[in-house]
Amino acid sequence: MNEKSKKNRENKLVTWIRNYSYSIIAMIVVIVLWELAVKVFDVKEYILPAPSQVLRKLTGNLSLLFRYSLVTGWEILLGYLLSIIVGIPMGLMIFYSRFLERVIYPFLVASQTIPKIAIAPLLIIWFGWGIWPKIIVSFLIAFFPIVVDTVVGLKNTEPEMIYLVRSMGADRSQIFFKISLPNALPNIFGALKVASTLAVVGAVVGEFVASDEGLGYLLVVSHGYMDTTLMFAGILFLSLLGIIFFFIIEIIERLALPWKTEKESVLHSATM
Amino acid sequence: MPAQTLIKIENVSKTYTTSKEDIVALQTVNLEIKEAEFVSLVGPSGCGKSTLLMLISGLYPATTGVITIKGEPVTKPYTNLGIVFQRDMLLDWRNVLDNVLLQIEIRRLNRADYEPHARELLERVGLGNFTDRYPRELSGGMRQRVSICRALLHEPPLLLMDEPFGALDAITRDQMNLDLERIWEQSRKTVIFVTHSVPEAIFLSDRILVMSPRPGRIVANIEINLPRPRTLDIRDLPEFSDYNRQIRKIFREQGILIDELGKDKEGLGQSPSSEVDY
Ligand SMILES: Nc1ncnc2c1ncn2[C@@H]1O[C@H](COP(=O)(O)OP(=O)(O)OP(=O)(O)O)[C@@H](O)[C@H]1O
Ligand SMILES: [Mg+2]
């Protein structure tokens, strides 16, 4: 059995390399073409820097980039956590009470239709220049899919399943914890992944409006100096931040929903 | 052997009130079901078979009339039973054993006390090696076996089955009929079994209740006197064909089957296992 699981893990590794090697090769090809195109057509650096120039800029400003990444990463994390802490309970309230649904609904719609960039200055009047406006913008963008998917996930429990457990004498809390909630988890995790990328957008928007540090601030400043190369370095770090958040959620999802991973590994071995 | 009445249904009707209209699903049903009796309900689609099961289990309230189980009126979900639906209703996130043990968890009984029995039940239906698999790794027939094990785990005296084999292919269905027959021989539970297949009903039952199109009433009550334990060969007995003919005749009288069109209405008699034999 140990042998088998070891072999399984090796198989997974081989699969992983196979799947991702194509993506990695594709990226390398694009970067090389980009480099060549910039050189061949002699593109000005302030219009489109070559990857090698970006790399040089990046290593030259590494400590600054890391420090700003930490600032923005912190804003993203807090905005994201807030959107989870508010989003999931709000989804539960909407699911369990028609009254609360009617109360919450207009605010929910308003929170999505009002452009976040338009209220960011207002948030700065209210909360100052500190971290709060960024957290709130990030939260406002990210929490909506969490609310919606929590409700959708809870609603798609089969009525027959509920009848079945009621005939076993289930009470409300058992129905929630043993049936409805686990049933909603795939939806909720799907939303958490979408929200993780939205939280990044929110934090950057917040920094655009008013800030004195962070990757969004770096973009604004480097734009002011027409330092396109530094902008590219900033954008690269921002997307790295987004990818890190995304994969952390994906790992948690795999741990929380092992039966889904099972399905995936079946799929993978089928395609091999 | 004095057979005691387990379930008594008196003047029961059920009307669903929807925003558009009131639907009379059942109209004055009167019925008694004895202990250890295997009773099948057959009738056209929409005649109220599932509704009747839901009323007996106390999951839906009756509009009029009284249902008693062991003399007690059913007013809330009755828990001393096992239910099997057409769809297996297994939980994706639990493996086979844990799906069966859901029955015990919800009832807040001790899992360790029932685990050996759960394994034994799974063993009996040929799933002994699949206890740690997830439902999505099983075939339809295997999944339905798991859901039957779940319904039997706490050894309820009453089993309600709503077209449990309706989604299975002919061969699997025959096998499931045999399995169920064997289980019933061993435990002699009261079973109320809804099916669209008349041969399946004859094969399994002590008694068949035929229902009319909506609003559903019970229009015939047919005792099946075939020897037990039953094997698939009893389908070749002349009595078996007689019962089949008798029920077909009732369907025709009820306007459920229309011969002139050369086909049946409402999907009756579509049991794949029956088409070949009769
Ligand atoms: N929850 C409900 N609300 C409103 N109408 C319902 C409800 N459940 C069933 N009905 C209606 O009651 C009638 C009987 O339904 P029921 O499900 O009991 O039929 P059935 O005999 O089990 O049919 P089938 O063989 O297709 O399963 C149908 O006309 C159906 O549309
Ligand atoms: Mg039905």
Side-chain angles (χ1 to χ4, degrees):
Chain A
M1 176 158 183
N2 230 331
E3 265 300 294
K4 209 176 151 193
S5 71
K6 197 174 157 194
K7 208 173 155 199
N8 233 330
R9 204 171 311 142
E10 265 164 32
N11 266 340
K12 268 187 191 162
L13 192 69
V14 171
T15 317
W16 194 88
I17 291 170
R18 269 189 200 217
N19 288 341
Y20 286 90
S21 60
Y22 295 114
S23 323
I24 292 165
I25 291 169
M27 269 170 72
I28 291 171
V29 168
V30 168
I31 290 171
V32 168
L33 287 179
W34 175 2
E35 182 82 33
L36 285 176
V38 171
K39 291 275 143 66
V40 170
F41 299 109
D42 195 22
V43 184
K44 299 262 183 317
E45 189 178 343
Y46 74 88
I47 293 179
L48 181 67
S52 60
Q53 292 168 320
V54 175
L55 191 67
R56 218 171 302 126
K57 185 67 111 190
L58 194 149
T59 44
N61 294 285
L62 211 53
S63 73
L64 178 80
L65 282 165
F66 269 117
R67 194 155 52 78
Y68 280 0
S69 297
L70 230 58
V71 171
T72 307
W74 188 235
E75 294 163 0
I76 296 169
L77 182 67
L78 293 178
Y80 185 50
L81 289 180
L82 190 64
S83 68
I84 296 172
I85 292 169
V86 173
I88 292 178
M90 196 177 274
L92 294 180
M93 285 192 274
I94 290 176
F95 176 67
Y96 275 109
S97 157
R98 278 210 70 83
F99 169 74
L100 284 175
E101 178 177 3
R102 292 207 181 110
V103 174
I104 295 171
Y105 200 70
F107 292 99
L108 207 58
V109 172
S111 79
Q112 292 317 294
T113 47
I114 297 169
K116 254 59 67 180
I117 192 101
I119 54 165
L122 196 61
L123 292 173
I124 286 156
I125 295 175
W126 290 341
F127 299 102
W129 273 53
I131 194 170
W132 275 105
K134 290 101 186 172
I135 294 176
I136 290 170
V137 175
S138 171
F139 154 76
L140 282 175
I141 296 186
F143 90 111
F144 186 68
I146 299 180
V147 177
V148 171
D149 279 290
T150 302
V151 177
V152 169
L154 290 171
K155 275 194 178 159
N156 76 19
T157 308
E158 312 251 16
E160 275 168 320
M161 193 65 227
I162 310 259
Y163 287 132
L164 191 69
V165 292
R166 294 227 300 142
S167 81
M168 302 173 183
D171 55 35
R172 280 176 76 100
S173 85
Q174 281 180 316
I175 291 174
F176 177 72
F177 284 109
K178 293 203 188 285
I179 311 295
S180 303
L181 181 64
N183 191 59
L185 280 182
N187 289 74
I188 294 176
F189 271 105
L192 289 184
K193 282 193 245 174
V194 174
S196 73
T197 63
L198 294 178
V200 176
V201 175
V204 173
V205 167
E207 287 183 6
F208 276 178
V209 176
S211 61
D212 45 18
E213 53 182 354
L215 291 172
Y217 168 75
L218 183 75
L219 292 183
V220 174
V221 172
S222 50
H223 180 244
Y225 290 118
M226 293 287 266
D227 190 345
T228 315
T229 317
L230 189 58
M231 286 181 77
F232 267 87
I235 291 168
L236 185 68
F237 266 68
L238 259 180
S239 46
L240 284 179
L241 270 184
I243 290 168
I244 290 169
F245 273 98
F246 190 88
F247 274 102
I248 289 174
I249 303 306
E250 191 147 281
I251 288 166
I252 297 174
E253 180 184 22
R254 271 162 201 258
L255 294 176
L257 316 178
W259 76 95
K260 288 275 161 192
T261 327
E262 205 81 2
K263 175 192 171 195
E264 273 189 4
S265 70
V266 168
L267 267 176
H268 280 205
S269 55
T271 51
M272 278 185 63
Chain B
M1 204 169 67
Q4 297 239 303
T5 300
L6 179 71
I7 302 172
K8 200 165 183 178
I9 298 171
E10 288 174 292
N11 297 320
V12 163
S13 70
K14 175 71 184 177
T15 305
Y16 290 108
T17 315
T18 65
S19 50
K20 286 196 212 93
E21 51 176 344
D22 285 359
I23 299 168
V24 182
L26 289 175
Q27 203 176 51
T28 37
V29 172
N30 282 288
L31 182 61
E32 275 187 31
I33 292 166
K34 290 189 281 293
E35 267 173 23
E37 194 177 19
F38 197 119
V39 179
S40 287
L41 286 174
V42 298
S45 184
C47 74
K49 303 180 294 294
S50 301
T51 301
L52 189 54
L53 287 194
M54 293 305 268
L55 295 182
I56 292 171
S57 63
L59 290 164
Y60 289 173
T63 309
T64 67
V66 185
I67 296 174
T68 55
I69 303 181
K70 285 194 164 162
E72 294 279 319
V74 175
T75 52
K76 59 177 194 322
Y78 184 77
T79 56
N80 199 9
L81 50 64
I83 299 182
V84 182
F85 289 112
Q86 175 168 5
R87 288 179 307 142
D88 49 71
M89 294 295 131
L90 299 182
L91 300 173
D92 291 341
W93 56 91
R94 285 170 172 254
N95 67 25
V96 165
L97 183 66
D98 289 340
N99 259 294
V100 174
L101 286 166
L102 178 75
Q103 186 74 258
I104 290 318
E105 274 181 43
I106 300 287
R107 292 171 188 275
R108 301 184 201 280
L109 297 170
N110 187 355
R111 187 187 154 104
D113 293 346
Y114 284 87
E115 195 179 312
H117 186 40
R119 289 183 185 279
E120 182 200 310
L121 281 169
L122 288 166
E123 190 79 50
R124 218 156 75 193
V125 295
L127 290 174
N129 293 325
F130 292 88
T131 50
D132 55 1
R133 299 292 191 89
Y134 285 108
R136 68 172 85 252
E137 299 173 86
L138 308 183
S139 72
M142 292 158 94
R143 293 175 61 117
Q144 194 57 292
R145 286 195 184 105
V146 176
S147 93
I148 292 171
C149 291
R150 178 180 58 194
L152 294 172
L153 181 60
H154 54 305
E155 305 197 309
L158 173 63
L159 203 55
L160 304 182
M161 306 181 91
D162 193 349
E163 297 184 50
F165 310 139
L168 304 180
D169 65 274
I171 296 170
T172 312
R173 193 166 184 161
D174 282 350
Q175 186 59 53
M176 300 290 275
N177 282 341
L178 285 169
D179 290 351
L180 181 59
E181 220 280 330
R182 223 168 7 143
I183 289 168
W184 186 84
E185 293 290 349
Q186 284 166 13
S187 59
R188 295 278 167 158
K189 295 176 187 318
T190 307
V191 182
I192 307 180
F193 187 90
V194 171
T195 178
H196 275 130
S197 162
V198 174
E200 181 175 76
I202 300 171
F203 176 79
L204 289 167
S205 311
D206 297 319
R207 190 149 66 101
I208 297 178
L209 302 169
V210 184
M211 292 178 68
S212 69
R214 210 183 79 208
R217 283 163 299 116
I218 289 166
V219 290
N221 182 353
I222 298 154
E223 302 271 351
I224 306 295
N225 292 307
L226 292 170
R228 286 190 189 267
R230 292 178 186 168
T231 62
L232 290 180
D233 291 338
I234 68 153
R235 294 171 176 178
D236 301 327
L237 295 177
E239 296 96 306
F240 197 93
S241 323
D242 290 342
Y243 287 128
N244 207 26
R245 205 171 301 122
Q246 188 184 349
I247 293 168
R248 207 160 47 216
K249 185 160 168 274
I250 298 165
F251 282 165
R252 221 177 270 125
E253 286 163 6
Q254 291 293 320
I256 300 164
L257 279 172
I258 301 168
D259 276 346
E260 297 85 75
L261 293 174
K263 60 173 187 179
D264 57 10
K265 212 173 101 184
E266 310 253 37
L268 262 162
Q270 273 183 351
S271 154
S273 57
S274 67
E275 294 302 295
V276 195
D277 295 350
Y278 309 99

